[in-house]
Structure formats: structure tokens, C-alpha cells
Amino acid sequence: MSVWPAWEVREGERSTRWLHVRLAFRDGATIEALASVGEGWVCVEDVQARPALALEDLAVFADWIEGPLARACGAEPGPEPGEDTGGTHREEPPGGRAWWPVVARAYRAAQERGADPVLAVMDQTGYSRRGALRLIGRTRDAGLLSPRHARR
């Protein structure tokens, strides 16, 4: 992922910055966005993706770019060059096909142990509960997990 400044507007002591965000993946897919950042808020102004994103993917995209945007604006310190962050290395955004087998294995293993499958997916992927639930849903939709039980 790359983030670089587009422009900045200052009004007195307040400023608003616009940043370009670009994600390029090994399979040739790309996501480009323009985000505006002010004091305490971030707004995604424009998103262009090839292939197109589903609406639920936009929420995942926003979660995924939050940290890099904060670092680009100096709101969150980034890791020093060469520093091992100890986090999970992600080659594509949450919900990508590469995660589905990982999610399925973690989910099934937790079920077999009698543990919480959502927590297992969170531990395995490093995502929040909401992100893990999205991954589990996409993994179900892909047919790698059994459908949810019908509620009565």
C-alpha cells in the first residue's frame, strides 16, 4: 500500500489534507482512493477499484487503510525502517480469497476443541471481531464452511 499527499488547505489553525491511497495486488487488482483527513476525522472521497468492490468490501477497505492514513498524517507513529512489528503480514485486504482457507482451518479447529471459532479467527488473522466475522461470512459464501444454522 502506498499513501502520498495530494494537497492541503489551511484555515487559520485548522487544516484539511487530501491523500492518495493505492493498493496493488499480485493478481493485477488495484484499489485507488482519495481520502481527506482533518482534526479527528477521515473521509474517503473517491474509490476506484479494478475489479469492482462490493459494498461490504468498502467497509473492510476503510478499516484496512485507517492505520496507514493515520501514520501518513503523523497521528500514529509508524514502525522504524527494518523494525519487526510482530504483526500478521497481509498481502491483500481483509476478505480476500487468500484468507479463506486460513479462516476455514482456524474456525474448524476451534469448533473441534470446543473453543470460540470467532476468537480463533481473530487470533489467526489479527483482525478485530468485526473483521473476523466478515472473513467468516465470505469464507461461508465461498463454500469452505458450512452454512449457518437456520434460526427459528
Side-chain angles (χ1 to χ4, degrees), residues 85-105:
T85 60
T88 303
H89 174 69
R90 299 178 185 154
E91 294 191 3
E92 59 182 79
R97 292 183 177 149
W99 280 109
W100 297 345
V102 173
V103 169
R105 281 191 299 273

Side-chain angles (χ1 to χ4, degrees), residues 102-127:
V102 173
V103 169
R105 281 191 299 273
Y107 191 95
R108 282 195 213 100
Q111 279 185 320
E112 290 170 7
R113 291 190 318 266
D116 183 346
V118 177
L119 287 177
V121 171
M122 290 169 62
D123 288 342
Q124 185 68 38
T125 62
Y127 293 117

Side-chain angles (χ1 to χ4, degrees), residues 38-106:
E39 293 179 23
W41 55 268
V42 174
C43 181
V44 177
E45 302 281 343
D46 183 45
V47 176
Q48 295 181 5
R50 287 179 184 70
L53 294 173
L55 284 177
E56 61 268 3
D57 293 332
L58 286 174
V60 175
F61 171 72
D63 290 341
W64 201 53
I65 66 171
E66 181 179 13
L69 283 174
R71 282 189 294 279
C73 294
E76 176 182 281
E80 294 296 318
E83 178 182 336
D84 181 13
T85 60
T88 303
H89 174 69
R90 299 178 185 154
E91 294 191 3
E92 59 182 79
R97 292 183 177 149
W99 280 109
W100 297 345
V102 173
V103 169
R105 281 191 299 273

